[in-house]
């Protein structure tokens, strides 16, 4: 192996699973350690798996982190569309007649832009709120990564109203420390949807970056109510919520 050209050895190493490269191959010898710590190996793995977008081909750590973050990218919100009723949602506030799950498009509603979404949560005539707290370490985002790389944390939510009823909607997301101190926060304005609106779905999003060390949890909360105080479920509709950690 020592006689192999470096370019050939890199191609051989690129066929090995990334976790094994870092935890096993890196410990074999100084040459392998340098290759695993270098940019060329991770650039090749990214190219082989169709991952693009790292900022600098000279930044080895950037490419390695980019690879791992891209492979791990997923929605950290569980049950974002109500397929499991209110499972995984905590701190549920059931104002009025409380939360309800309905099938799209619903009465006086519109279909969602994605055919993969089939249901939504709907609020009532007093404020309904619900939240999820995401444990980043439990999801595989280790402390050094969060403290030094500080990858982007991207939050998205979708809301709509009925065409025959006005409603209010709010979103609040907090980045929390080990002791649940608030290190960064995004709070939307209270969105007012008028009666006689067109029932279309609107996406709201926010990206946290350069938020400093210590982030261990993400707390996602949203909610709404109707503005006519009609008994039943005429308030804001929400679905397809997401929190992703991205390169």
């Amino acid at each position: 192996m020592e006689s192999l050209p470096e370019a050939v050895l890199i191609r051989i190493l690129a066929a090995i699973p990334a976790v094994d490269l870092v935890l096993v191959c890196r410990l074999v010898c100084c040459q392998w350690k340098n290759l695993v710590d270098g940019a060329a190996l991770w650039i090749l793995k990214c190219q082989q798996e169709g991952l693009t977008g790292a900022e600098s081909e000279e930044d080895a750590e950037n490419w390695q982190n980019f690879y791992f973050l891209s492979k791990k990218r997923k929605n950290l919100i569980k049950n974002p569309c109500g397929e499991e009723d209110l499972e995984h949602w905590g701190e549920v506030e059931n104002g009025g007649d409380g939360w309800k799950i309905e099938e799209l498009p619903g009465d006086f509603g519109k279909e969602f832009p994605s055919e993969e979404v089939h249901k939504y949560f709907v609020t009532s005539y007093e404020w309904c709120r619900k939240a999820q707290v995401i444990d980043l370490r439990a999801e595989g985002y280790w402390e050094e990564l969060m403290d030094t790389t500080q990858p982007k944390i991207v939050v998205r939510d979708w809301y709509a109203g009925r065409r025959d009823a006005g409603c209010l909607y709010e979103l609040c997301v907090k980045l929390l420390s080990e002791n649940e101190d608030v290190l960064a926060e995004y709070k939307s304005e209270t969105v007012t949807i008028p009666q006689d609106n067109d029932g279309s779905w609107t996406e709201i999003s926010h990206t946290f970056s350069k938020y400093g060390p210590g982030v261990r949890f993400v707390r996602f909360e949203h909610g709404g109510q109707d503005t006519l105080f009609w008994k039943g479920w005429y308030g804001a509709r929400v679905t397809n919520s997401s929190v992703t950690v991205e390169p």
Side-chain angles (χ1 to χ4, degrees):
M1 294 289 282
E2 293 179 358
S3 63
L4 287 176
E6 184 174 288
V8 175
L9 185 53
I10 286 175
R11 296 196 72 84
I12 293 172
L13 291 173
I16 297 172
V19 172
D20 292 334
L21 286 174
V22 174
L23 298 182
V24 180
C25 298
R26 190 174 179 273
L27 306 179
V28 170
C29 62
C30 289
Q31 182 190 20
W32 285 29
K33 177 181 182 298
N34 291 335
L35 292 178
V36 172
D37 289 347
L41 173 60
W42 298 101
I43 291 172
L44 179 57
K45 284 190 75 66
C46 286
Q47 291 172 343
Q48 288 176 338
E49 299 186 36
L51 307 175
T52 59
E55 294 177 359
S56 171
E57 294 194 4
E58 303 300 323
D59 189 342
E61 183 180 357
N62 185 58
W63 275 97
Q64 186 178 131
N65 285 334
F66 175 82
Y67 178 87
F68 278 106
L69 287 169
S70 296
K71 295 292 286 185
K72 288 180 64 65
R73 187 182 303 182
K74 64 178 182 178
N75 185 5
L76 301 177
I77 292 286
K78 297 177 173 62
N79 187 27
C81 304
E83 295 290 347
E84 303 173 73
D85 198 56
L86 285 168
E87 188 73 21
H88 304 297
W89 292 95
E91 302 177 52
V92 177
E93 182 178 335
N94 279 307
D97 288 322
W99 287 96
K100 184 183 180 185
I101 290 86
E102 294 181 345
E103 298 273 350
L104 279 157
D107 293 339
F108 295 92
K110 281 191 175 180
E111 290 288 357
F112 192 76
S114 169
E115 293 181 356
E116 296 178 358
V117 178
H118 306 289
K119 295 183 179 182
Y120 59 86
F121 302 91
V122 59
T123 60
S124 190
Y125 59 86
E126 292 180 352
W127 272 100
C128 297
R129 293 182 175 89
K130 57 187 177 69
Q132 282 192 35
V133 176
I134 298 162
D135 184 337
L136 293 170
R137 280 179 301 192
E139 295 291 346
Y141 299 97
W142 58 98
E143 294 181 2
E144 182 182 2
L145 175 73
M146 298 307 302
D147 292 348
T148 57
T149 303
Q150 294 175 31
K152 292 181 291 186
I153 299 175
V154 182
V155 179
R156 295 183 177 90
D157 200 19
W158 289 81
Y159 64 87
R162 292 172 54 116
R163 293 195 302 274
D164 62 343
C167 62
L168 305 175
Y169 164 84
E170 287 182 355
L171 171 67
C172 180
V173 184
K174 298 177 181 180
L175 305 187
L176 306 177
S177 70
E178 181 76 36
N179 298 320
E180 298 191 0
D181 298 320
V182 178
L183 302 180
E185 180 177 7
Y186 168 74
K187 192 176 191 325
S188 73
E189 298 178 346
T190 300
V191 178
T192 301
I193 300 175
Q195 190 175 12
D196 300 322
N197 67 89
D198 64 2
S200 62
W201 287 91
T202 300
E203 183 183 36
I204 184 171
S205 66
H206 178 75
T207 299
F208 291 96
S209 61
K210 299 180 180 178
Y211 38 76
V215 172
R216 300 293 178 264
F217 302 94
V218 180
R219 185 182 186 278
F220 178 103
E221 178 184 293
H222 61 183
Q225 70 168 90
D226 77 40
T227 53
L228 301 174
F229 305 100
W230 289 348
K231 183 173 177 57
W233 296 274
Y234 294 85
R237 299 169 169 183
V238 294
T239 195
N240 206 35
S241 310
S242 68
V243 173
T244 54
V245 179
E246 303 186 4

